[in-house]
Amino acid sequence: TTLILVLSTQSAEAQFSAEFSTPGAQSNCKNVGGIPSVGTTMDDGMNWATSNRPMKLGQGSFGLAVVQGSDRILAEFGRRIYSSTNGGCNWKPLGMVSGSPLRLAGAGSRAYAWNLFSSQDVWRIDLDVAGPDKIVPVKGLPENVIALGVDSANDLHVRGLGDKGGLFETFDGGA
């Protein structure tokens, strides 16, 4: 599996190269419920379903990730992480975090969130189909995180990039 990092002066994006899986339970919705900052389309952008709850000036959602190999899409809005299992039509909150805006990446039954503006704040999101989802803080990172990539073959294997150019890696989900 190859890690691809895309960097610019404003942000960083990381993904492990793999087949991209689309959510299995997609539905064609008329509007989006549970989160005001996400829109979805089923026809290449010809028509959009959006929330009937308008955002206030200065609000928005930066983090959005399809969790490869699952039916989950995750988003962040106002320091809260949300999950959708039906293609982005309905969203439920998973929990609060201390930073915003967030970046998100995931595969299998785990996702990871980190603060967009160089920070030591990183969270692992355990997506449990048999019980409640959990948001677990990841501690002890060597430097400020600007990019993470999750291995699609092993969701506990994560590589990251620090703000000073250092690479780091975990094989236990950041434990």
Side-chain angles (χ1 to χ4, degrees):
T1 305
T2 304
L3 176 69
I4 301 168
L5 295 171
V6 180
L7 302 173
S8 74
T9 57
Q10 298 291 322
S11 64
E13 181 79 35
Q15 290 275 336
F16 279 86
S17 63
E19 286 286 319
F20 186 75
S21 64
T22 56
Q26 281 192 357
S27 62
N28 193 3
C29 51
K30 301 248 187 275
N31 62 21
V32 174
I35 188 171
S37 64
V38 175
T40 184
T41 182
M42 299 292 290
D43 57 9
D44 296 327
M46 295 298 291
N47 296 290
W48 285 87
T50 59
S51 174
N52 56 8
R53 265 181 37 206
M55 288 186 295
K56 295 178 183 168
L57 185 62
Q59 290 183 329
S61 180
F62 194 90
L64 181 73
V66 174
V67 181
Q68 296 179 25
S70 82
D71 66 349
R72 299 288 189 105
I73 303 174
L74 298 177
E76 177 264 335
F77 179 77
R79 297 187 353 230
R80 183 168 279 147
I81 296 174
Y82 291 84
S83 172
S84 173
T85 57
N86 66 351
C89 291
N90 297 300
W91 296 83
K92 70 172 188 166
L94 299 182
M96 296 287 289
V97 294
S98 61
S100 181
L102 298 181
R103 300 290 292 178
L104 296 159
S109 63
R110 288 183 184 79
Y112 299 83
W114 65 99
N115 195 306
L116 175 63
F117 302 112
S118 295
S119 172
Q120 297 269 156
D121 295 333
V122 176
W123 299 269
R124 185 182 70 235
I125 305 158
D126 295 330
L127 304 169
D128 188 355
V129 294
D133 299 328
K134 292 180 247 154
I135 299 174
V136 180
V138 174
K139 301 290 183 191
L141 294 169
E143 54 190 299
N144 290 335
V145 175
I146 59 170
L148 290 177
V150 183
D151 186 340
S152 61
N154 175 4
D155 57 23
L156 293 172
H157 180 209
V158 179
R159 289 181 182 156
L161 178 67
D163 68 345
K164 297 185 180 23
L167 290 169
F168 53 91
E169 181 171 38
T170 179
F171 290 91
D172 62 7

